[in-house]
Amino acid sequence: MSDCLFCNIVDGTIPAEIVYEDKQVVAFRDLNPQAPLHVLLIPKKHIATLNDLESEDNAVMGALILAAKKVAEAEGVAESGYRTVINCGEQAGQSVYHIHLHLLAGRQMQWPPG
Ligand code: AMP
């Protein structure tokens, strides 16, 4: 989708610091990091929110989680720990309507989240 920020990162028209890419997934550093490590992982396919997932998206969402594991290992936080978050909709604070998984690490996380 040409008017989607994250689709534009996938196709290279908007720059990002890409840390991982495979056939289905791109991962890049968040512009406004909320932890020493803050990476966003997105499917290359445009899917607006978790509510828009279809059964055919099973594989790509699996690939997204597996990519998060690989990024955590590559960034050296797999053992110390990391948080993954997918915000869905307004009350969750979703601001970009292309599914993205936040991978946050490098500081002690709190629970419950704000
Ligand atoms: P959410 O609030 O869950 O929709 O998360 C959207 C995230 O995208 C926020 O953490 C933003 O800082 C991040 N973000 C917005 N624009 C960019 C961009 N051009 N490059 C990297 N991260 C971005």
Side-chain angles (χ1 to χ4, degrees):
M1 271 175 61
S2 59
D3 60 347
C4 168
L5 173 63
F6 287 173
C7 285
N8 288 337
I9 288 177
V10 171
D11 68 22
T13 53
I14 289 182
E17 192 182 340
I18 291 174
V19 297
Y20 175 86
E21 181 168 7
D22 64 28
K23 206 168 57 156
Q24 302 186 88
V25 174
V26 177
F28 52 92
R29 298 197 192 280
D30 196 292
L31 211 52
N32 183 23
Q34 301 301 311
L37 177 70
H38 189 172
V39 169
L40 299 176
L41 296 103
I42 65 173
K44 289 183 174 175
K45 175 184 176 182
H46 181 84
I47 306 168
T49 79
L50 285 179
N51 290 337
D52 300 296
L53 285 173
E54 308 280 356
S55 52
E56 69 189 31
D57 298 320
N58 197 29
V60 71
M61 293 308 287
L64 198 70
I65 305 283
L66 274 173
K69 175 197 155 179
K70 290 178 189 167
V71 171
E73 286 171 351
E75 295 285 336
V77 300
E79 295 308 318
S80 53
Y82 54 96
R83 178 166 291 174
T84 57
V85 175
I86 300 178
N87 294 320
C88 179
E90 189 190 341
Q91 284 205 340
Q94 184 173 4
S95 61
V96 179
Y97 279 76
H98 179 131
I99 285 184
H100 47 283
L101 182 146
H102 296 259
L103 190 164
L104 300 135
R107 65 169 170 82
Q108 184 62 50
M109 301 292 160
Q110 305 301 321
W111 196 264

